[in-house]
Amino acid sequence: MSSEKLNTEFSGGTLRNLFIFALAMAYLEAAVVVYLRLLYYPHGFHFPLKIIPTKVAMVEIGREFATLIMLWFAASLIRARFRVRFTAFLFLFGVWDLFYYFWLKVLLNWPASWTEWDILFLIPVPWIGPWTAPALVSVGFILVGILMWRKPQAFDGPAFGKRVWLVEIAVALVILITFFWQTTPVVHGAIPDYYPWWLFALAYLAGLGTFLSAYLKRNLK
């Protein structure tokens, strides 16, 4: 598949449409969280967590899973090879997650600070951390999507070597570990008091730096 065809399939119009879709999805998710907080945290969201009914928890897990499916199938509508669709998914995920917090700020005036703790995700167990951490990851996903859109020739042939992919997978696992750092104590009623920013920063910079280095080498040849 040629670069010209890839550029047509993942055009500026496509990127704009993906952005609008993710923006709407973010509002939808924020609206659901507004209702949940009015029910379970009428005086404002805070830790320790309130234990919600099992049935409601299962519905929430299902909703999060459904959100991932919707984002993936929106990306898969692009007529292109898997790696292009995966890049589109990362872009969608980044915009959705970042603007989810934007809409919460608009609707609830939350988060109140850059280090506000949040329940980030529930699958397979609760992810706990300052909202800024996943927001930074989302910025990285958006950057990947935009760069790949601007230089579609990066998809001609093997995009990146095995070393790059191994680093990115390792980085993802380390960042996930930071999100699970406080899971056990919080689930048992504790208030989160420490997030390993140093570990997150090392992993984040390693992942972003590895991607940018491989991307520039490929596109500056």
Side-chain angles (χ1 to χ4, degrees), residues 99-118:
F99 278 88
Y100 160 73
Y101 287 108
F102 168 80
W103 289 123
L104 282 183
K105 186 66 176 179
V106 170
L107 299 172
L108 291 177
N109 195 28
W110 187 95
S113 71
W114 292 102
T115 56
E116 194 90 25
W117 287 83
D118 190 23

Side-chain angles (χ1 to χ4, degrees), residues 85-142:
R85 297 197 302 272
F86 183 69
T87 299
F89 172 77
L90 291 181
F91 178 79
L92 275 169
F93 189 99
V95 173
W96 160 71
D97 192 50
L98 192 61
F99 278 88
Y100 160 73
Y101 287 108
F102 168 80
W103 289 123
L104 282 183
K105 186 66 176 179
V106 170
L107 299 172
L108 291 177
N109 195 28
W110 187 95
S113 71
W114 292 102
T115 56
E116 194 90 25
W117 287 83
D118 190 23
I119 307 170
L120 308 177
F121 210 57
L122 294 173
I123 302 173
V125 295
W127 305 15
I128 310 295
W131 72 272
T132 318
L136 287 171
V137 173
S138 295
V139 170
F141 286 170
I142 294 170

